[in-house]
Amino acid sequence: TGIVFVVDTTITMGPYIDRMRDVIARVYKRVEAEKLEGDVSFGLVAYRSSTKSVPDLEYTTRTFASLKDGVKGQKFLDLTAQVVPAKVSSGPQLPEDAYAGVMSALTEMDWDQYAAKIVVLISDASALEGNHPLASSGMFTSEVREFAQAAGIALFAVHLKTREGARDHAAAATQYEMLTRFQGKD
């Protein structure tokens, strides 16, 4: 099983990044307890928003751990320690470039050796849709979902309903419900 976490590292996620690390550590400890090391590998992609509009964000996406890095649990956990929130705001808009992060996970990881392929998006904001001028993937929710399904990769979303994102909760919930809807085969 390959599991890649795609994590929003914008400034509003600051208080939640340590909690995310704790959850990931607990998942790994469970894998250890079940003696599944070697059968499960983890990856981690972080995203923010467009560096075109806010260069001080440092990156739009960054891979902190590949699935190869995540074969050894402690190495993966050490790499997650490098994940920190942005020092500057990405601007007044709440949607972030989540699909840039998801698409990095879908296209830049080596998924070939995994029978089960999972991407877990963790965010407190909705995603920029493909027609937004700052959407680096240029893809809409349905296109990202279809891409993942064609690759045999299941998408899950953890939408944190933070106080800062309250005006965006409904939009994000609708979007992530559509993103993670799996179209079964007849």
Side-chain angles (χ1 to χ4, degrees):
T1 301
I3 303 170
V4 177
F5 296 96
V6 177
V7 180
D8 177 348
T9 59
T10 57
I11 199 166
T12 60
M13 286 291 289
Y16 309 101
I17 289 175
D18 284 338
R19 291 184 196 166
M20 174 270 311
R21 255 192 292 277
D22 292 342
V23 168
I24 290 172
R26 279 185 283 182
V27 168
Y28 179 72
K29 298 293 183 203
R30 181 71 186 251
V31 166
E32 254 184 351
E34 298 293 327
K35 306 219 183 301
L36 295 172
E37 308 102 323
D39 292 332
V40 179
S41 184
F42 298 100
L44 179 65
V45 175
Y47 72 89
R48 292 181 176 164
S49 204
S50 175
T51 56
K52 291 177 190 171
S53 67
V54 184
D56 288 343
L57 286 174
E58 299 173 9
Y59 60 85
T60 300
T61 67
R62 179 179 290 165
T63 299
F64 282 88
S66 69
L67 286 166
K68 184 179 178 182
D69 295 327
V71 171
K72 300 285 185 199
Q74 192 55 54
K75 179 178 182 180
F76 176 74
L77 295 175
D78 291 344
L79 290 169
T80 67
Q82 298 174 17
V83 178
V84 295
K87 293 180 175 89
V88 298
S89 172
S90 51
Q93 87 278 356
L94 268 177
E96 304 292 354
D97 209 355
Y99 296 155
V102 172
M103 290 307 297
S104 288
L106 296 174
T107 62
E108 296 172 15
M109 295 288 165
D110 182 6
W111 293 101
D112 291 342
Q113 66 187 13
Y114 301 99
K117 305 168 187 177
I118 300 166
V119 169
V120 180
L121 171 65
I122 302 170
S123 181
D124 70 337
S126 62
L128 296 172
E129 289 288 354
N131 60 345
H132 193 285
L134 298 177
S136 62
S137 74
M139 296 179 78
F140 290 88
T141 303
S142 60
E143 294 171 309
V144 175
R145 182 189 71 230
E146 289 166 9
F147 187 97
Q149 288 178 355
I153 301 171
L155 296 174
F156 294 91
V158 177
H159 174 219
L160 304 176
K161 293 186 176 179
T162 62
R163 186 179 72 244
E164 298 84 3
R167 64 185 162 99
D168 189 53
H169 289 171
T174 299
Q175 205 174 38
Y176 295 145
E177 182 179 311
M178 180 190 293
L179 178 70
T180 59
R181 188 176 305 137
F182 183 78
Q183 301 295 326
K185 295 184 180 181
D186 295 338

